[in-house]
Amino acid sequence: MAIPKRVEEAMNHQLGFEFHSAYVYLGMSAYCEAQSLPGFATWLRAQYQEELEHAVKFYSFILDRGGRVTLDAIEKPPTDYKSPLAVFEAALANEESVTAAIDDLYTLTGEERDYASQAFLNWFVTEQVEEEKIVGDVVDSLRRVGEKGEALFLLDRELGNRSG
Ligand code: FEO
């Protein structure tokens, strides 16, 4: 079955949202570099890479279903924040918006009886649980250690060891 028009449009929109999320994380990474927090910067850059992979998954899926990729403009992201905590609070809010968008897309595929798209989206539904958890954990850590001093330095080191 060809991809339904409404699903194709929504998938294109989500493709743009994932690229936007990538760009937001890159802006956050640049901010942390400027704050001499290389571990946070590395962590956020890994997250940027993940978002690019998410975007490309949508890109490939739309094409695999015989759809058309349209590529929306990507909005300029912030590159300045009040603090590392503000960065991760913004990241969590962004992930929650992504989750809501994936859920809406999932609902739409049900309405359209587009089960191939639903199966594809299952991966994203699970992934968003993970994304919200890992970003939420950093928010919790930052609230615990505060914004300065030795504890922040150690957290920066710990985040810099992220693999994948
Ligand atoms: Fe692609 Fe972090 O959601």
Side-chain angles (χ1 to χ4, degrees), residues 14 17-19 21-22 25 47 50-55 58 91 94-96 98-99 102 123-124 127-128 131-132 135:
Q14 191 62 33
F17 198 170
E18 301 289 345
F19 272 126
S21 297
Y25 277 118
Q47 199 64 22
E50 284 209 0
E51 299 302 345
L52 289 182
E53 286 168 22
H54 296 172
F58 279 100
N94 191 64
E95 289 301 342
E96 287 167 353
V98 172
T99 301
I102 296 284
W123 184 88
F124 283 92
E127 174 72 1
Q128 281 312 117
E131 297 269 280
E132 285 191 29
V135 176

